[in-house]
């Protein structure tokens, strides 16, 4: 099933406005949300409206919150988000980072007490659009089990980095777990056993039973998902475990916020923390020449020898850019469950679904 | 077989002095080299003397080189290493980064045209010892095959990060490949098939034949090692591929140096590039409180529930610190091949092996 992109935008704007956000703020939240659908990352797009609805209803998100800078230097700031919507905090924080990068060469912003901020690459690409390197990280509720552990202690803890290049920016955005929770749900739905090394049961033993792992995650009964590199150390799981800690250091530790193991432990706030960085790479040399070198390196990767049976090597960000070109003036896919959730939320808020919202099946 | 740590230090100092390095420079190179042995990372310690000997003999390393700053701001510098020994360049660059962090809050140094610099954590821990966050990355000769590729394009491309904590700093140092080349050699020696997803043959097909993969790597005949997350995308190999690109961006692209796919392509220089960063985390808030929070988070990870059959969860850097405490006033292990290589190099340079060098078998 598909819906018209622009109608989806109008609808989301109307929803967020109905919650009480200003028109400008509603447009920002919608833009971050829809970008995920445009990029083909449906897990972080309108599919997630129901989660945001829950968080706003439970007052984990304070729609009137004004994030405030609690510590600042010429190259840094710590932002207390005061439970603001993650997308609003994120855009505000990256704007500060970009401003500092333009005046001081670099801006690093840590954010505490925020909320889920959507796709991390939205923010890094704000920096890349200004010809800067953008970095962002965010912690989440703990779902990732440390190497040799039996209890989730860190989140999916994404790392994103964008670096300007032509014709397509490099834009990396990935969790530090082997897979996100959504992937387990796909295996569960298809009644397929999980690949080895992906998940652990409540005793910390490797577990291929998706239903059991998901049940345990929901009940906080132990176990969870393995870090990138998988369960144990054989395939480098200790590396992914370390990367997930690094995300918590930059997001939570140096912002004096909550590390993943404390996120979402109270009914009225999530405590999610983020990190944003913008670097003017001109502080290392001639920008034109560096950007040309970057573009050449990306092209060499794409042009390098393909594996038998493969026709293309991607650089990160290419697929999303191509998907967005298709969808921006067209349609985005939506599944039946999401559509139903959208109707329920719209009814609750007294927002009308646009006429002929559903385009095709 | 073991050798006395202090005698090994004297011996290495004498070797580097015999090549023509000053006494001070010899002590620096030796200290970086032996730190790997003290940490239990023998692959990067005196085991590697023979590689450094080859690089010095081939004049890939210029023992008289003076690295020079070619671009500089209050928070950044680009260092042209002029083929200096990697350890000397690394220590010099991190000292500059630390100095800038102390005066400006942050120092980022890119380095081009250097050489193998040993363990990345040596440099990040220089920053941590000054109560700063330390970051370092280095590219290497291409050995890692991009997702869907058949040709190595990026290196083992290590990422290291150290953050002060008590009683033990967090110190992460890992390649962005699923395993380093040395691991393939262990499987080859033991005549064991490689685990799935680790390596690729010259057609880019998954390959468990360690001997074939190593042969292809040496002959530059195609194939190589998979990125962290393994071959293909199932276990997140595209994430490791992206991380290896990020290392090349910070090390090589923004230093206007050689990306991994050009490293070690000429007989008289390697062109290896590095990145160093020091951050005074006091630019985000009260250092005492942040450090306390970091120490608490590390302790919570170590104290979290263990997997059945496991007695301990580590935080990164703990093992190395414990190993060093054992070895610093004692002995370091050395294998027969390394000992033979040390004798050959010593003979060539007219350096005497200390009396009763070999302690036990």
């Amino acid at each position: 099933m598909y819906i018209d992109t622009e109608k989806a935008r109008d609808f989301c704007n109307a929803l967020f406005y109905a919650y009480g956000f200003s028109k400008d703020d509603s447009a920002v939240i919608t833009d971050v949300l829809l970008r995920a659908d445009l990029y083909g990352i449906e897990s972080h797009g309108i599919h997630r409206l129901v989660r945001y609805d829950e968080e706003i209803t439970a007052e984990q998100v304070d729609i009137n919150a004004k994030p405030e800078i609690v510590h600042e230097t010429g190259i840094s700031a710590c932002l207390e988000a005061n439970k603001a919507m993650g997308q609003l905090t994120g855009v505000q924080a990256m704007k500060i980072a970009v401003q500092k990068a333009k005046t001081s060469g670099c801006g690093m912003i840590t954010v505490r007490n925020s909320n889920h901020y959507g796709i991390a690459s939205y923010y890094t690409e704000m920096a890349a659009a200004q010809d800067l390197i953008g970095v962002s990280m965010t912690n989440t509720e703990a779902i990732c089990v440390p190497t040799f552990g039996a209890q989730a202690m860190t989140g999916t803890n994404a790392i994103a980095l964008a670096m300007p290049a032509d014709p397509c920016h490099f834009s990396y955005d990935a969790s530090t777990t082997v897979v996100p929770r959504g992937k387990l749900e796909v295996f569960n739905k298809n009644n397929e056993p999980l690949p080895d090394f992906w998940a652990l049961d409540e005793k910390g033993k490797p577990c291929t039973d998706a239903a059991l792992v998901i049940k345990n995650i929901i009940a906080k009964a132990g176990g969870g998902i393995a870090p990138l590199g998988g369960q144990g150390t054989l395939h480098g799981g200790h590396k992914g475990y370390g990367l997930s800690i690094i995300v918590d250091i930059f997001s939570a530790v140096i912002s004096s916020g909550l590390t993943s193991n404390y996120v979402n432990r109270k009914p009225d706030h999530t405590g999610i923390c983020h990190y944003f960085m913008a670097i003017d790479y001109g502080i290392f040399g001639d920008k034109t020449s560096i950007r040309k070198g970057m573009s050449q390196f990306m092209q060499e990767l794409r042009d390098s020898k393909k594996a038998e049976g493969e026709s293309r090597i991607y650089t990160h960000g290419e697929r999303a850019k191509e998907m967005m070109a298709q969808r921006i003036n067209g349609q985005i896919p939506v599944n039946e469950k999401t559509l139903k959730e959208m109707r329920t939320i719209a009814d609750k808020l007294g927002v009308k679904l646009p006429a002929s919202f559903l385009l095709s099946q």
Side-chain angles (χ1 to χ4, degrees), chain A:
Chain A
M1 294 195 292
Y2 290 87
I3 55 178
D4 179 89
T5 302
E6 274 317 297
K7 283 184 183 164
R9 187 178 297 275
D10 293 342
F11 173 69
C12 291
N13 280 339
L15 276 194
F16 290 114
Y17 186 69
Y19 284 121
F21 291 103
S22 71
K23 288 223 159 156
D24 284 351
D25 283 354
S26 299
V28 168
I29 301 168
T30 295
D31 198 49
V32 179
L33 197 72
L34 279 194
R35 181 73 63 84
D37 292 297
L38 293 173
Y39 278 180
I41 312 164
E42 284 85 11
S43 59
H44 283 57
I46 48 176
H47 171 76
R48 217 182 165 90
L49 266 178
V50 63
R51 290 278 296 276
Y52 292 122
D53 179 66
E54 286 163 8
E55 286 158 13
I56 293 167
T57 308
E59 295 183 4
Q60 291 181 320
V61 169
D62 176 358
I63 59 166
N64 299 307
K66 297 269 173 282
E68 53 191 333
I69 292 175
V70 292
H71 200 96
E72 188 170 23
T73 76
I75 57 165
S76 69
C78 176
L79 202 63
E80 161 60 54
N82 289 319
K83 307 205 307 181
M85 194 77 179
Q87 288 82 351
L88 298 175
T89 317
V91 167
Q92 181 181 348
M94 189 49 105
K95 277 184 180 168
I96 302 171
V98 164
Q99 193 50 52
K100 287 184 187 285
K102 285 187 172 180
T103 54
S104 309
C106 161
M108 293 182 266
I109 317 296
T110 59
V111 178
R112 67 187 187 218
N113 204 13
S114 178
N115 280 287
H116 190 270
Y117 75 175
I119 51 168
S121 58
Y122 186 90
Y123 311 101
T124 55
E125 291 175 14
M126 283 173 62
Q130 304 281 316
D131 204 17
L132 305 169
I133 297 174
V135 177
S136 186
M137 306 184 196
T138 185
N139 72 1
T140 70
E141 181 177 328
I143 195 168
C144 177
V145 180
T147 306
F148 307 139
Q151 175 189 352
M153 290 296 287
T154 52
T156 43
N157 286 15
I159 298 176
L161 183 139
M163 164 84 194
D166 304 297
C168 177
H169 296 334
F170 172 79
S171 182
Y172 177 89
D173 180 358
S175 74
T176 51
T177 46
V178 64
V179 282
R181 175 171 154 182
K183 207 45 106 45
L184 304 191
E185 280 155 7
V186 172
F187 276 76
N188 187 32
K189 203 173 156 188
N190 298 339
N191 226 352
E192 279 180 67
L194 296 172
D196 294 336
F197 300 102
W198 276 24
L200 301 95
D201 69 13
E202 67 283 0
K203 291 181 176 162
K205 289 284 175 196
C207 180
T208 60
D209 180 347
L212 175 66
V213 175
I214 293 168
K215 201 187 86 184
N216 283 342
I217 289 171
I218 292 167
K220 294 194 197 297
I225 301 178
L228 177 61
Q231 178 270 332
T233 58
L234 181 66
H235 304 298
H238 52 297
K239 300 183 187 184
Y241 164 43
L243 292 171
S244 80
I245 294 176
I246 289 173
V247 172
D248 256 311
I249 291 174
F250 279 102
S251 309
V253 173
I254 60 176
S255 73
S256 307
L258 299 184
T259 49
S260 300
N261 51 325
Y262 290 103
V263 163
N264 246 349
R265 292 300 180 97
K266 294 193 179 164
D268 68 341
H269 77 277
T270 64
I272 286 172
C273 297
H274 323 296
Y275 177 73
F276 302 89
M277 185 179 192
I279 307 169
D280 181 356
Y281 59 91
I283 62 176
F284 301 107
D286 176 64
K287 285 189 87 158
T288 308
S289 151
I290 290 173
R291 184 163 174 152
K292 204 173 146 194
M294 178 66 188
S295 305
Q296 182 193 321
F297 180 45
M298 293 298 101
Q299 195 59 47
E300 286 168 354
L301 288 168
R302 292 189 290 262
D303 288 347
S304 69
K305 193 181 162 198
K306 314 296 175 289
E308 204 174 77
E310 299 291 345
S311 59
R312 188 166 170 188
I313 291 170
Y314 292 87
T315 50
H316 301 74
E318 264 198 299
R319 257 189 225 263
K321 195 185 170 191
E322 290 172 14
M323 184 70 85
M324 177 150 143
Q326 275 178 38
R327 291 183 175 177
I328 186 87
N329 294 312
Q331 307 161 18
I332 53 177
V334 62
N335 66 36
E336 202 153 347
K337 184 163 170 284
T338 301
L339 198 68
K340 200 178 149 197
E341 288 163 355
M342 288 166 80
R343 285 200 173 107
T344 308
I345 297 169
D347 284 349
K348 186 179 80 171
L349 294 169
V351 170
K352 264 180 74 86
L353 252 71
S356 60
F357 196 48
L358 190 62
L359 289 176
S360 55
Q361 277 193 257

